[in-house]
Structures are given as structure tokens and as C-alpha cells.
Amino acid sequence: MSKLLRRSSLSQAISGSLVALSCASTGASASVLEEVIVTSQKRIENIQDVGISVSAFTGDQMSALGMVNTIDIIQQVPGLQLQSFTPAFTAFNLRGISQNNFQDNLEAPVAVYINDAYIGSMNAINGQLFDMERVEVLRGPQGTLFGRNATGGLIHYVTNRASSDNLNGYVQGGLASFDRKSLEGAIGGGLADGIRGRLAARWEEADGYIENKVGNRDQQGADGYVVRGALQFDIGDTIVADLIASYSEDSDVPTGVYVVQDADSDALGLAIPTNAPRAAPHEDFSDGGYFDRDTTSVTAKVLWEISDTVEFVSITNSLELDKFYTEDADGTPSAQTGAIFEFSTIADYSQWSQELRLAGDHDNLRWNTGLFYLDIQGNNQSIADGNVVTPTYNTALTTTELNSTNWSIFGQIEYDFNESWTGIVGYRWSQDDKDIDVLTTNDSRNPDGSDDGLAPVVQVKDISAVNTIDYGDYAARLQLNYTSAADDLYFVSYNRGIKGGNWSPSRDVAVEDFRHDEEVLHSYEIGSKLTLKDGVARLNSTVFYYDYKDYQQFSLLNAVPQVVNRDATNVGGEVELFITPNESWDIVLGLSIIDSEVDGAPTALGIDNEDVKLPNAPEYSANALVRYNWNAFGGEMTAQIDGAYTGEQYLEGTNNESSKEDAYFVGNANVAYTTEDGAWKYSAWVKNFTDEEYRVYHLDLAILDVFIGDGFGFTQEVYAPPRTVGLSVTYNFGD
């Protein structure tokens, strides 16, 4: 096996970690300043040699940090925030860039990849995290190598593959607050000469952390499992093929409730709260909601070493997802108030993607070029049921059929002018072809829900002029790196990121507002990656300036979810410091600064609130971690405390005062004991030991009082979990 193939196989065994904590399950201590390997440029590199702002975690680090869900990574990644009203739909926010619209046909500007495959649906992002190799978070546009919807950045989850010939695996059980129970495990090893396999699974069940006060079940719980199988084949001496298949199912998961606060609207159409919320942050007085979801994904990766300096990679993925979600949107039980406002969505989603890539690594030249194709088919429904103390019961059904294809050709070249200076040029041409069909139905019923004898009214709009998108554009990268005699890296870069247009399908959207345009981001960055004090510390920092053209901004224009285009600017940066004074201590500090300005945000009345900030973009946020390990009881003890500070921010693009979230700090702690042979590990942990009450979602529906009357205006809020404690026991076996 020659050079390139050995290096590619190495990427399956070495994690790409920026925060390399000493948390190996064997109990052996490891310095954070060991060589760190990432694949953020689609090849194996030491992270200190990559001129990109990257944060990453190994699987062991994620376990030590108590990350059991894909969204748990946000607390230790500078500049990363979350917007989520249910696990059935999740949007990441990176450096203030996100997509806060909750319609199922949209794609996020922070791209998510799993095992090298793009995930085009925000319904498929939130899931259980287990048996992981690593996760990488890349800040800034990544359109050259990763595609059109990586405008704000990229998050890449990589699971453990079948890369070991020796028998290995683990079993872990856990108990936590709110009757949370989990069981996970994996087993892998050689099956035959040149064939390896791995099987992993996780199951989790929990009551909700939001207590229902009117006799219904508690909300924001869990009930689901994931099964994942992997095979790896050696085909001759130059080809390695990986096949990864997974199936996940969530069943009757309690979710879909809000803390609701009555509100009037001001002259702009923004919420003015009128009294105290109808419920406390972790209380619910509604009929409740739930979601069902099942997802099947198959990924095949073939790596062929053509020569010692050139390799070929093929990545094929198929993803199928079905989701049903329903919520009690007004937060009150129908038996008490007679006021019903329920909202449901159904998503039938499938995608198929293929990437073909050639890469070369020569003495002073590295290059990467390829083709990409993506086909997305979506059949979505949204159902709004309302008996808002009116004579009739209305059911509005919107059915959407989406067909989307994208093909692109890309390439990137890195050339070393000498030992110190390196130039990078990247280019990607991306072609979007999309079409959409929308049908809306309005069904009038009696107040008790019985048929009133009237036929449903089918509303057909002539959208023939706006229901197709034929959009081709380019992403580009120009970068210059300087490496000092001390191997410190300094870089300056320009990136042009692109994101295609889409639609806001609803019966009440005017034809001229039905389609929104593509967005273009010009990003300018300066950064450095330094090794200090003879290797005791690392200091990585980046400063960026974003110039956004036609930024896609979420709005509830006329009380209907829509996306509009506005220009925006954003300036800020990140600093990360990693200190390992000796083998027992690890200290990690991170800071993010964001100062953004959007030209305007239309309110529900169609009036722009001028010069607003990006949503979920606190001016300051910081993370910290301190970990200490020592020998005890014949094994190793570890104690860890970590946390994140999030500054004041607006949770909505309109910057209405009711969506302003004050600064807060969330702290976590963990104590663990690992036996000398590494076979057993016992952990006790607490998340949010500060018991901080903070919101992760806010929606201003005060304008309903204008459109419907009868004092029906309100805001919806979702709070993060309160203090949670738990225990876990892990048994490791094999090599």
C-alpha cells in the first residue's frame, strides 16, 4: 500500500481535532498539542497548516463533553448558535448566518455533511450522536470544495467506519433526569481477508422536561433509535471501498409546545407583550404535540490510488426521510378555552448525490478537481387548523411538490512559491434547476369540527411565471499563506459564496413575493495559527468582513412565513487558545465577536424595521473548558468543567424587543473514572448546573390580532432544558 492510500486510510483512524482533550477511553493522557489531522480541504492535513477557521472534536472528546445529539456541539464552538422549536426541524447559525424560516422546502446556508454526503433537509439534521470519529465545523464560505449552500460555513459529522481488522467495540448505558434512559454500543473487526465490518446502534427514551399542567403528557422528550452498519473492502492493493447504511426512527416524540405570551402589535407590526406569559419557561398548559420520523441513508465511498501522487474518489449517497409533526400553536387546551390553533407539517423527502473527484499531491503543488450532482424530490404539506372563537372552523392545507437538481464542476490548486509562501486558487461553477407546484385548500367546518356541508375551496394561483429557477453562478477562493521559520501560519483570503433562490409556498403569499432571489456573500478574512511557549499553547485567531448581496432573510410578512432579500454586512472574528501546561491539565478558551447590520427587515405589516442586526448573532460569546486528570484507585480519574457565555441577541430578524434575549451563561461538569486496563469507565455529569433559563426560539405572531381580531395576537417561545444530571457506564472491549 503506497503513500496516498496509507494517508487516506489514516484519516479514518486519526480524528480531526482542534480541541484535543485528554479523554481517551483507555485512560491514557494525551497532550492537546499532538499533531492534529483534519480533512477540511478534502485531504489529510495538520489543522495548524490549514488557513481556515476550524473547530473540531474527536469521538472521545464528544463523549467527555456529554454530546449525545448533533446539536450539542454548539457550546464549545465559537460563533455557532442554534435555532430550533422542535427536534423535527433544526437550523444552525454560524457567524450570524442562518435560515430561520420553518418551511420544509428550504435549505440552510450552513451546510451539514454526514460521512462526506450533503444533507439537504433541515428535518434530517437533529439526531442521536454515537460511535463518532470526529466532527468538524468550518466557518466562512466553503463553496469552492463543498458547494452552493455552504455560504455561512459547514458542519461535517464523521462516524466510525469499519477500518480495523481487530475485534473492538463498546457498550454504554445511561440514566439521567426526566427519566431519560439510553443504551448504545458498537462492534467491529475483520470478517474475511480484506473485508472489515462494524455495527453500531443507539436507543434513547425520555419524558419531557416541560411539565404539562392540565393532565396531558410532558413535552420535549425523546423516543427513538438508530442502527448503522459499515463495511470496508480492500480491492487489490490500490482501492478501498466503504459502505455505510443507517436507519433511524423517532416515534410519537412529545414536542410541539410553546410558552405563549399575549401581545398587541405596534405601528410597525411588532409585538408588544400585554401581560405575563401563560406559562413558566418549563411549564405547558396545552394539548401537546408530537412528531414521527424515519430516515434511511446509504453512502458508498470508493478511494482508488492511481499512482503515488494521484488518487480518485467517488462518493454516492441516497437519503429517504418521512416526517409528521403537529403542534398546539396557541399554548392553551381546547377543553378550557375553545381556542384552537394547531399547525402540522408532513414531509416526504428524498435525495441522491454523486461526487467524483481527482486529487494530486506533488512536491510543491496540490490540486483537487471534481464533478458533483444532486437530485432532491420533496412532497410537503402544511396544515393549519383554527377555531379562533369564530363561527367556523377553518382548515388550510398547502401541498407542495419540489423538484431540484444541481450539478457543479470545481477545482482548487495550492502552489508553494517557496518554503514560506503558498498561493491558493479555487473555483466552482454551480447550476441550479428547480421547479415547484403548490395547491392550497381552505375547508370551512362547524365549531365542533363536524362537516358543515360546504365543499372545500381550492385556491389556485397562476405562479407559472415564478415557479421555476434556472440559476448558474460561481463560488471562488483566493488565498495567500505565509509560514514562518517557527512553523506559525498567517493567511489572508477572499471567498465568494453563493446560495440559490427558493420559494415561500403559502396560500396567502402574493405572486410577486412567492419567489426570493439567490444570495451572494463576499468574505474577506485574515488569520493566524500560532504555537507558543515551546509547544505549551496554541493560539488561533481569525478576523472576517462579510459583504452580503441579497441576503435571504426570514419575515412573517402579512402573518405568512416568507423570505425576502436585503443587503447586509457583518464584521467580527474568533480567537481560540489551547493550553497544556503538563500531562494532567487541559485548558481551552474561545471568543467570538460579531457586529452585523441588515438594511432592513419587513414586519408583518410590510414596513421595514431599519438597520437591524442578524438574528442569533450575539456581539460577544465565549466558551471555556478546564480538565484535570490524575491516577487514583488503580486507574485514572478526570474532572472537567466547561461552559459557554452568550451575549445579548435578537432571536428574530425583525429585532422586535420581545425577541431580545439577555446574556446568559450555561455551565456543565463531569467526573469520570477509568480502570487501568481501559475496559470500564464510570461517569457522572451535570448539564446547565447554573439552571439558566434561556430561549432557543421566538416567533412574533402579535399581528394575528390585526388580521383575526378578538385579542388573538401572541408570541411563541421555546426554552432550553433546565439543570440535568446523569450517570453512564461504558465497557470497552478488544483493540
Side-chain angles (χ1 to χ4, degrees):
M1 186 178 294
S2 56
K3 180 177 69 174
L4 278 180
L5 193 58
R6 285 198 303 269
R7 289 173 60 193
S8 298
S9 299
L10 182 66
S11 68
Q12 299 170 8
I14 301 178
S15 62
S17 166
L18 187 58
V19 190
L21 311 177
S22 56
C23 54
S25 60
T26 62
S29 298
S31 168
V32 300
L33 297 182
E34 290 180 342
E35 184 179 48
V36 180
I37 303 299
V38 294
T39 57
S40 54
Q41 296 189 107
K42 296 199 172 181
R43 70 169 187 273
I44 310 301
E45 292 180 286
N46 183 331
I47 199 168
Q48 295 301 105
D49 297 332
V50 179
I52 299 175
S53 182
V54 185
S55 295
F57 304 94
T58 69
D60 285 333
Q61 292 160 16
M62 286 184 273
S63 176
L65 287 165
M67 298 178 181
V68 296
N69 191 283
T70 54
I71 66 173
D72 290 339
I73 65 173
I74 63 172
Q75 284 199 17
Q76 288 298 314
V77 178
L80 182 63
Q81 304 291 331
L82 176 72
Q83 191 258 13
S84 180
F85 58 94
T86 170
F89 191 93
T90 298
F92 286 110
N93 186 299
L94 196 53
R95 289 179 171 175
I97 308 304
S98 185
Q99 172 55 270
N100 285 16
N101 197 329
F102 46 79
Q103 292 176 299
D104 287 330
N105 61 293
L106 300 174
E107 297 176 68
V110 177
V112 173
Y113 279 69
I114 299 178
N115 292 324
D116 299 296
Y118 172 67
I119 307 301
S121 172
M122 287 183 280
N123 291 303
I125 292 174
N126 192 321
Q128 299 190 55
L129 203 63
F130 66 103
D131 196 35
M132 297 295 297
E133 179 186 316
R134 71 181 187 275
V135 60
E136 298 179 17
V137 180
L138 284 62
R139 287 175 284 265
Q142 306 298 324
T144 302
L145 291 179
F146 289 96
R148 74 205 192 288
N149 285 339
T151 320
L154 178 135
I155 301 173
H156 188 192
Y157 300 93
V158 182
T159 65
N160 282 324
R161 306 187 186 190
S163 57
S164 175
D165 287 311
N166 299 320
L167 178 68
N168 68 96
Y170 74 97
V171 178
Q172 181 184 96
L175 298 173
S177 304
F178 310 108
D179 200 25
R180 184 174 296 272
K181 300 179 287 287
S182 65
L183 181 65
E184 68 176 81
I187 184 170
L191 303 177
D193 186 26
I195 303 176
R196 296 163 291 278
R198 188 170 187 86
L199 181 66
R202 190 175 197 273
W203 164 84
E204 184 177 42
E205 183 179 83
D207 295 339
Y209 65 83
I210 298 179
E211 183 182 2
N212 188 275
K213 295 292 188 178
V214 292
N216 297 315
R217 65 176 177 170
D218 296 339
Q219 293 289 299
Q220 297 297 73
D223 190 353
Y225 67 89
V226 186
V227 179
R228 183 169 62 238
L231 292 171
Q232 188 177 83
F233 305 89
D234 295 334
I235 305 174
D237 293 330
T238 60
I239 299 177
V240 174
D242 283 283
L243 180 66
I244 303 174
S246 67
Y247 175 77
S248 66
E249 181 176 303
D250 298 286
S251 180
D252 194 26
V253 178
T255 185
V257 298
Y258 303 95
V259 173
V260 174
Q261 180 164 322
D262 294 326
D264 294 330
S265 57
D266 62 17
L268 292 178
L270 301 175
I272 304 174
T274 57
N275 50 37
R278 301 178 193 173
H282 299 118
E283 292 181 352
D284 171 44
F285 289 84
S286 74
D287 295 326
Y290 71 95
F291 82 92
D292 296 323
R293 179 180 60 185
D294 59 85
T295 307
T296 303
S297 177
V298 179
T299 301
K301 180 176 181 179
V302 178
L303 172 66
W304 173 27
E305 182 192 12
I306 299 174
S307 70
D308 284 347
T309 58
V310 178
E311 68 179 16
F312 169 80
V313 178
S314 171
I315 301 169
T316 308
N317 172 260
S318 174
L319 174 68
E320 303 279 343
L321 178 143
D322 291 298
K323 179 204 75 170
F324 176 81
Y325 165 79
T326 189
E327 67 180 38
D328 189 343
D330 63 23
T332 56
S334 56
Q336 284 187 9
T337 66
I340 301 172
F341 181 52
E342 295 180 348
F343 179 72
S344 305
T345 60
I346 301 172
D348 181 3
Y349 176 89
S350 65
Q351 71 170 60
W352 181 84
S353 64
Q354 175 65 58
E355 181 173 317
L356 302 173
R357 192 168 74 241
L358 274 173
D361 189 346
H362 310 276
D363 291 337
N364 62 346
L365 176 68
R366 294 160 299 282
W367 55 270
N368 206 321
T369 185
L371 300 169
F372 177 78
Y373 179 79
L374 172 67
D375 182 277
I376 291 176
Q377 304 292 319
N379 191 325
N380 306 313
Q381 291 184 329
S382 63
I383 307 115
D385 291 336
N387 170 27
V388 196
V389 199
T390 60
T392 59
Y393 182 92
N394 297 303
T395 301
L397 169 65
T398 301
T399 301
T400 302
E401 291 188 7
L402 173 69
N403 301 294
S404 174
T405 61
N406 172 267
W407 66 264
S408 57
I409 181 170
F410 61 90
Q412 182 166 296
I413 297 174
E414 298 185 27
Y415 181 74
D416 299 329
F417 300 107
N418 52 45
E419 292 183 356
S420 298
W421 293 95
T422 299
I424 303 174
V425 177
Y427 180 88
R428 187 185 195 104
W429 177 264
S430 180
Q431 177 66 45
D432 272 340
D433 294 300
K434 303 178 183 178
D435 64 79
I436 194 170
D437 290 321
V438 179
L439 180 66
T440 61
T441 304
N442 192 10
D443 186 7
S444 176
R445 294 177 176 270
N446 294 316
D448 62 1
S450 61
D451 193 343
D452 61 2
L454 299 176
V457 178
V458 179
Q459 297 176 328
V460 179
K461 288 185 178 180
D462 182 7
I463 59 172
S464 58
V466 291
N467 71 334
T468 61
I469 291 176
D470 180 357
Y471 168 64
D473 206 347
Y474 70 95
R477 180 184 182 191
L478 295 173
Q479 183 163 329
L480 185 63
N481 293 347
Y482 173 75
T483 304
S484 71
D487 287 331
D488 292 330
L489 174 67
Y490 302 86
F491 62 91
V492 57
S493 68
Y494 162 77
N495 281 275
R496 186 181 194 269
I498 58 174
K499 183 174 187 288
N502 213 306
W503 297 274
S504 301
S506 174
R507 62 173 183 159
D508 296 318
V509 174
V511 173
E512 60 269 21
D513 298 324
F514 183 71
R515 185 177 68 194
H516 54 270
D517 294 333
E518 60 277 359
E519 64 182 19
V520 176
L521 172 59
H522 300 276
S523 170
Y524 307 85
E525 298 192 24
I526 300 175
S528 63
K529 296 189 174 182
L530 312 178
T531 301
L532 309 174
K533 298 293 184 181
D534 296 324
V536 172
R538 283 178 177 158
L539 177 65
N540 296 341
S541 59
T542 307
V543 176
F544 66 87
Y545 173 76
Y546 283 177
D547 182 7
Y548 245 118
K549 304 301 181 185
D550 291 326
Y551 160 66
Q552 295 173 0
Q553 183 185 68
F554 171 60
S555 173
L556 272 177
L557 185 61
N558 297 321
V560 179
Q562 295 176 56
V563 173
V564 299
N565 295 100
R566 296 289 188 272
D567 291 343
T569 58
N570 189 13
V571 61
E574 304 89 27
V575 179
E576 295 177 289
L577 176 64
F578 314 95
I579 307 172
T580 304
N582 53 49
E583 292 184 353
S584 295
W585 288 94
D586 287 293
I587 302 170
V588 180
L589 303 172
L591 172 68
S592 169
I593 301 174
I594 298 174
D595 184 10
S596 63
E597 184 176 328
V598 185
D599 283 354
T603 69
L605 293 179
I607 306 171
D608 267 20
N609 194 16
E610 301 292 342
D611 297 330
V612 297
K613 295 183 178 295
L614 291 167
N616 302 107
E619 185 174 358
Y620 299 102
S621 60
N623 58 277
L625 180 148
V626 178
R627 184 176 178 85
Y628 177 70
N629 66 82
W630 69 99
N631 295 326
F633 310 111
E636 183 183 70
M637 292 289 297
T638 59
Q640 176 179 299
I641 185 168
D642 63 270
Y645 167 85
T646 302
E648 181 182 278
Q649 61 180 311
Y650 290 98
L651 301 182
E652 289 197 64
T654 57
N655 287 194
N656 64 82
E657 285 299 309
S658 65
S659 76
K660 181 187 287 186
E661 183 68 18
D662 292 334
Y664 59 87
F665 173 79
V666 177
N668 312 296
N670 180 295
V671 176
Y673 170 75
T674 305
T675 58
E676 184 177 12
D677 60 1
W680 291 93
K681 181 177 181 179
Y682 307 89
S683 298
W685 51 265
V686 54
K687 294 183 179 182
N688 192 9
F689 63 72
T690 50
D691 204 24
E692 193 77 32
E693 294 180 351
Y694 63 99
R695 299 173 295 177
V696 294
Y697 181 77
H698 181 278
L699 185 64
D700 179 359
L701 293 172
I703 199 63
L704 292 177
D705 184 45
V706 175
F707 288 96
I708 296 174
D710 299 305
F712 195 66
F714 56 90
T715 62
Q716 296 173 329
E717 301 173 348
V718 175
Y719 282 79
R723 181 187 298 119
T724 306
V725 298
L727 302 168
S728 68
V729 178
T730 306
Y731 174 67
N732 299 287
F733 58 88
D735 295 332

